[in-house]
């Protein structure tokens, strides 16, 4: 039947576009309001001891090391996070390293941005 063929082609196109978006780039992306509070060294983002990041901190394609304080959520996409014993994080720590987690994170962040 033609409806099944159309649905199969649509599903194939959607899956291939999701895979292409997941593997599109490996550039380090840091989203933070207080850029002065973080140190970027290559692919590492460091919150030094004695520094406080006000708001959310998102790191894509890199590693995050927290020695200071973060007053918000930490989101690490396709990377790693290290929290020292001196770290103080008032929000959630979200680690996204699988495609379905990434799709869910993008959808939920889109609806959160609409709610603001």
């Amino acid at each position: 039947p033609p409806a099944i063929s159309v649905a199969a082609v649509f599903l194939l196109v959607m899956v291939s576009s999701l895979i292409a978006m997941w593997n599109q780039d490996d550039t380090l992306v840091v989203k933070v309001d207080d850029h002065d509070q973080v140190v970027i060294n290559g692919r590492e983002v460091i919150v030094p001891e004695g520094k406080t990041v006000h708001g959310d901190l998102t790191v894509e394609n890199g590693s995050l090391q927290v020695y200071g304080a973060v007053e918000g959520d930490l989101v690490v996409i396709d990377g790693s996070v290290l929290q020292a014993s001196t770290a103080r994080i008032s929000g959630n720590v979200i680690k996204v390293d699988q495609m379905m987690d990434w799709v869910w994170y993008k959808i939920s962040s889109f609806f959160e941005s609409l709610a603001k």
Side-chain angles (χ1 to χ4, degrees):
I4 294 175
S5 299
V6 169
V9 169
F10 177 76
L11 185 62
L12 180 67
V13 169
M14 292 302 291
V15 168
S16 64
S17 67
L18 279 175
I19 291 171
M21 284 178 21
W22 174 252
N23 293 324
Q24 71 180 349
D25 199 4
D26 64 347
T27 305
L28 176 68
V29 177
V30 179
K31 297 177 186 173
V32 63
D33 291 336
D34 297 334
H35 281 286
D36 298 337
Q37 303 299 318
V38 297
V39 175
I40 300 173
N41 186 11
R43 296 183 86 58
E44 293 182 345
V45 178
I46 303 167
V47 179
E49 193 170 351
K51 299 284 186 172
T52 302
V53 174
H54 301 282
D56 297 341
L57 173 60
T58 304
V59 176
E60 294 183 38
N61 303 315
S63 64
L64 174 63
Q65 299 177 14
V66 181
Y67 300 102
V70 177
E71 295 178 354
D73 293 339
L74 290 180
V75 179
V76 178
I77 301 172
D78 203 19
S80 61
V81 60
L82 169 71
Q83 300 174 29
S85 60
T86 58
R88 293 183 326 272
I89 301 168
S90 64
N92 297 320
V93 178
I94 302 167
K95 188 167 186 310
V96 180
D97 59 355
Q98 297 178 357
M99 186 185 322
M100 292 308 295
D101 291 339
W102 178 77
V103 169
W104 181 251
Y105 170 73
K106 289 292 187 179
I107 290 171
S108 62
S109 63
F110 171 74
F111 285 112
E112 285 177 7
S113 69
L114 290 178
K116 289 183 180 179

